[in-house]
Amino acid sequence: MSNSHPAIVGHAIQLLFHGGKRVAAITTAVLCVAIYYVAYWMRFEGQISVTQMRLFFSTVAFIVALKLCVFWLFRVFANWGKYLTFHDLVILGKAVTFSSLIMAVTDYLITPDAGIPRSVFLMDWCGTLVTIGGLRSLARFVEEFGNQTMALKLGKPALIVGANDSGESLLRMIRRNSSPQYRPVGFIAAAPDLVGHSIGGVPVLGTLHDTCRIAQEHHHATVLITADELPGKQVRQLVDDAQASNVNVRVIPSYRNLLAGKVALQPRTVSIQDLLRRDPVSLDQSQLRRWLEGRVLLVTGSAGSIGSEICRQLLQFSPRKLLLVDRSETAQFFLERELRDLSRDQDIQVCMADVNDATRMEAIFAQHHPEIIFHAAAYKHVPLMEQNPGEAVKNIVLLTQKLANLADQYSVDSFVMISTDKAVNPTSVMGVCKRVGELYVQSLAESSNCRFVTVRFGNVLGSAGSVVPIFRQQIADGGPVTVTHPDMTRYFMTIPEASQLVIQAGAMGQGGEIFVLDMGEPVRIVDLARDMIRLSGLREGEDIEVEFTGMRPGEKLYEELHVTGERHLETHHPKILVAESQKINRLTVVRGIKRLENLADGPDDSILSQLKELVPQFQRDLTFVPERRAAA
């Protein structure tokens, strides 16, 4: 039989039953007559008397009409063919049972002594269920059988990681594909007690530790992973093992991304986000909805990587109004278009403004009266701020002070400041300015009715100007990939993960807290570079080089999570900690910031001295010895 024959047969059956509800009803009526007659024939073993035949002919029209009415009531004709599911068969079972009960009760009430034999009802019920259900399933069976036949001939052997709901869904998706690329030969389970079982006829062959061996035994089968199925550490280990064993790994997008419309169904190579992501973040949706629904929300730095993602996340909680505040005209234009496509019914207001412009910001507050503020606007590039400390003071410290004062003045309910782990024992101008901003917001919380909350986290994957897009561009240009130091490590988060946790922490705060996000394990930057080279299909040292350029001013070899004298306490959310630290006197902070404002356009040394006075932990590293050498 040619490969096209099963598809033709399946299509013919689908046309028979899906050519309209009227055609389906006529087909069902004919089948019901035949089933009812067969039930009589079996009851009397082929010897149907004249009396029983008269009873058959006098009741068959009522029986068939009753079944059709009940089937119509239960919407049995709504789905025929290849899209049939178990849910549809359950509905059919209910309809058949309900119609049989009505038939039996009606017959008993009308002719209690000489009615239809009870066994006829039972055989009719069974025959209707098997015949109609079987024919309804036939189109899907023929199609999937044809797909599996093609997969056996054309599909590449594949192992599915995850002997669970995600794995079973992936198996069904592969089998339903009319042009199958893969032929599932086995599942890989997380728990050893599942080995030896089977899912959909496909055996569970082993655990994660056995993956590469099993793949080699099955002609180097491709390993398919559903995104979010494994923690990043296990993905990294699996990819390393697969590379050594010459085994191919592919990632199938998660249903969360599919439902969001962000990805297609085509498998892709493992991306750096897969290697670095941590366990999926779970949010307290009910708490966030109570906090955000029906309120006026304002996001500063809305056109930035974090600010724009916060805006996307906020839309799902139905705010009364969402204010986008940023001075980047082009980025604001495209962000507004995107957000309106995501939620056409939301009130989204684009406010073109420099957050440092106090007059303009006060006009926005007076017009819109925001209730919750997410403050993401700030300079973030460490080397540039080392060269321009006065601008860092203006656009981090003074900007935060002005915005916080407006929040207090206009009785804003909550103010969430986004900070960084570079504020911990800072060695850079950017980091120490963020720390001063933290101190001011924390001091203001003691006397304000506004709930001032600070959220501190590490580097964000894929944000503008971050290491991942830089490495990606360097690889595209043929290298070299430049890393400042072989021992440089950083904590990383994905943009959606960081944004979600910022919102969650904002909802948790009572005022004055500094929340610290759990960023998992630190990652060596050189390992990140090597992973990206490998995942691009290139070889380090042969196709592309890794070069060390030396640390830049203000950089640390590793990021710290604790300010000196600070300790972290757990909260009810497993990925959010609260930093318990000694608060500084508000008057001291205000006076120090006033001196910084007066010095902002002055000599760099004076600015740095004042920052050091406000944050004694500030230890600026001025050593910078440029060097270029290949990685060992």
Side-chain angles (χ1 to χ4, degrees):
M1 179 182 288
S2 70
N3 291 334
S4 62
H5 286 173
I8 294 173
V9 175
H11 187 59
I13 296 172
Q14 186 182 0
L15 285 177
L16 176 64
F17 291 111
H18 202 64
K21 294 182 180 179
R22 184 173 300 175
V23 175
I26 293 172
T27 306
T28 302
V30 173
L31 291 173
C32 287
V33 171
I35 293 166
Y36 187 46
Y37 176 79
V38 170
Y40 261 94
W41 189 88
M42 293 179 64
R43 166 63 178 81
F44 296 103
E45 299 179 352
Q47 304 296 321
I48 305 176
S49 66
V50 175
T51 302
Q52 292 299 330
M53 281 303 298
R54 287 175 181 168
L55 184 59
F56 168 80
F57 282 116
S58 65
T59 57
V60 64
F62 169 74
I63 295 297
V64 173
L66 175 63
K67 285 184 179 179
L68 291 179
C69 289
V70 173
F71 284 8
W72 201 276
L73 179 66
F74 278 78
R75 298 179 59 82
V76 170
F77 303 123
N79 188 16
W80 294 75
K82 67 178 183 178
Y83 298 113
L84 183 79
T85 65
F86 179 75
H87 175 73
D88 297 307
L89 293 179
V90 170
I91 291 176
L92 175 64
K94 291 179 179 179
V96 173
T97 302
F98 188 65
S99 60
S100 296
L101 288 174
I102 295 178
M103 288 160 45
V105 171
T106 303
D107 180 68
Y108 176 77
L109 293 176
I110 295 175
T111 56
D113 297 324
I116 302 170
R118 300 296 177 258
S119 56
V120 170
F121 288 125
L122 181 61
M123 287 184 284
D124 179 81
W125 173 85
C126 184
T128 303
L129 194 60
V130 171
T131 304
I132 303 297
L135 286 174
R136 291 190 69 189
S137 306
L138 188 58
R140 176 167 177 175
F141 171 78
V142 170
E143 183 188 23
E144 291 195 5
F145 178 78
N147 291 343
Q148 291 184 52
T149 302
M150 291 181 66
L152 288 173
K153 295 180 180 180
L154 306 175
K156 303 173 184 177
L159 295 174
I160 298 176
V161 175
N164 51 23
D165 291 342
S166 296
E168 192 271 338
S169 297
L170 178 55
L171 175 65
R172 283 192 283 112
M173 183 175 69
I174 293 172
R175 285 178 169 174
R176 297 290 298 277
N177 192 343
S178 58
S179 302
Q181 293 179 310
Y182 298 103
R183 171 172 50 88
V185 296
F187 281 93
I188 300 298
D193 57 332
L194 295 175
V195 177
H197 294 207
S198 67
I199 299 175
V202 177
V204 180
L205 300 177
T207 61
L208 287 172
H209 300 293
D210 309 315
T211 303
C212 293
R213 175 184 59 79
I214 296 172
Q216 288 177 320
E217 291 173 356
H218 288 81
H219 308 287
H220 289 273
T222 300
V223 178
L224 301 177
I225 308 173
T226 302
D228 300 336
E229 180 63 32
L230 298 177
K233 188 175 182 180
Q234 289 184 321
V235 174
R236 177 184 289 278
Q237 184 62 52
L238 180 57
V239 170
D240 288 341
D241 295 343
Q243 183 189 28
S245 304
N246 196 26
V247 172
N248 201 12
V249 178
R250 291 288 184 271
V251 174
I252 303 297
S254 67
Y255 277 110
R256 182 175 62 185
N257 289 336
L258 289 174
L259 292 173
K262 297 179 180 177
V263 290
L265 290 175
Q266 182 68 28
R268 56 171 171 80
T269 55
V270 177
S271 70
I272 203 66
Q273 285 87 341
D274 297 312
L275 299 180
L276 294 177
R277 61 173 174 78
R278 50 226 18 95
D279 294 337
V281 172
S282 59
L283 301 179
D284 187 344
Q285 297 284 342
S286 59
Q287 181 189 28
L288 293 181
R289 187 161 294 280
R290 288 194 303 271
W291 185 46
L292 298 169
E293 189 173 24
R295 309 190 79 176
V296 179
L297 313 180
L298 184 150
V299 180
T300 70
S302 56
S305 303
I306 290 294
S308 60
E309 182 62 27
I310 288 176
C311 293
R312 296 183 192 100
Q313 299 288 342
L314 291 176
L315 281 182
Q316 65 182 303
F317 298 105
S318 304
R320 178 157 58 92
K321 185 187 298 184
L322 179 60
L323 307 174
L324 316 180
V325 180
D326 202 293
R327 63 185 179 186
S328 176
E329 176 195 15
T330 302
Q332 286 276 74
F333 171 77
F334 285 108
L335 176 62
E336 181 191 19
R337 291 184 60 185
E338 178 189 352
L339 296 181
R340 292 199 188 281
D341 286 341
L342 289 175
S343 184
R344 296 187 179 277
D345 297 331
Q346 293 286 344
D347 185 359
I348 300 171
Q349 300 283 333
V350 175
C351 302
M352 295 302 304
D354 182 341
V355 184
N356 231 337
D357 184 342
T359 303
R360 171 62 177 145
M361 291 305 301
E362 185 162 6
I364 292 174
F365 274 67
Q367 179 182 356
H368 298 287
H369 297 284
E371 297 172 85
I372 299 173
I373 296 173
F374 293 90
H375 175 36
Y379 284 154
K380 67 177 183 177
H381 292 288
V382 170
L384 289 178
M385 295 305 99
E386 292 300 304
Q387 300 169 33
N388 302 276
E391 295 305 303
V393 167
K394 293 175 186 178
N395 286 279
I396 299 177
V397 179
L398 302 183
L399 182 150
T400 299
Q401 182 189 43
K402 293 172 185 176
L403 193 65
N405 288 343
L406 282 173
D408 179 47
Q409 176 185 341
Y410 280 86
S411 301
V412 171
D413 177 76
S414 302
F415 180 102
V416 182
M417 174 191 172
I418 296 175
S419 188
T420 170
D421 57 3
K422 293 176 176 61
V424 178
N425 298 326
T427 60
S428 66
V429 171
M430 190 278 275
V432 71
C433 286
K434 277 289 189 180
R435 179 58 182 155
V436 175
E438 288 183 358
L439 292 173
Y440 183 79
V441 166
Q442 199 172 22
S443 69
L444 187 57
E446 297 180 0
S447 59
S448 175
N449 291 325
C450 178
R451 294 189 308 126
F452 285 96
V453 173
T454 299
V455 183
R456 190 190 288 164
F457 57 87
N459 297 271
V460 179
L461 277 173
S463 62
S466 64
V467 67
V468 171
I470 290 174
F471 285 170
R472 187 178 291 121
Q473 185 61 50
Q474 289 177 336
I475 292 171
D477 293 341
V481 175
T482 56
V483 179
T484 56
H485 194 283
D487 296 324
M488 181 80 69
T489 62
R490 289 293 182 266
Y491 292 95
F492 285 99
M493 306 187 83
T494 63
I495 294 174
E497 181 180 35
S499 301
Q500 291 169 6
L501 288 175
V502 164
I503 298 171
Q504 184 73 74
M508 292 166 52
Q510 298 302 310
E513 298 98 336
I514 297 179
F515 288 105
V516 180
L517 305 187
D518 177 6
M519 294 168 283
E521 297 296 323
V523 176
R524 283 207 317 164
I525 302 299
V526 67
D527 291 338
L528 184 65
R530 286 167 173 161
D531 285 336
M532 293 189 68
I533 292 171
R534 184 176 75 248
L535 295 173
S536 299
L538 302 174
R539 291 165 296 182
E540 180 193 352
E542 297 182 29
D543 302 314
I544 199 164
E545 298 289 339
V546 173
E547 289 187 353
F548 297 116
T549 59
M551 292 176 60
R552 297 173 295 181
E555 281 191 325
K556 296 180 181 180
L557 271 181
Y558 56 91
E559 299 291 2
E560 301 171 89
L561 298 178
H562 298 264
V563 171
T564 302
E566 181 180 87
R567 64 192 185 103
H568 289 174
L569 307 177
E570 293 183 352
T571 67
H572 67 265
H573 195 287
K575 291 188 176 295
I576 300 177
L577 306 173
V578 62
E580 186 184 65
S581 59
Q582 183 178 0
K583 297 180 177 62
I584 192 170
N585 181 271
R586 173 167 166 71
L587 187 58
T588 302
V589 177
V590 172
R591 287 174 175 172
I593 292 177
K594 183 62 178 177
R595 286 193 290 270
L596 275 176
E597 183 177 6
N598 294 333
L599 295 169
D601 293 317
D604 291 355
D605 290 344
S606 300
I607 297 171
L608 297 174
S609 297
Q610 181 57 35
L611 287 169
K612 172 71 173 177
E613 184 177 332
L614 270 170
V615 184
Q617 299 89 356
F618 177 36
Q619 298 292 335
R620 191 179 186 222
D621 185 2
L622 297 177
T623 60
F624 176 45
V625 183
E627 57 174 321
R628 298 186 70 88
R629 57 186 177 90

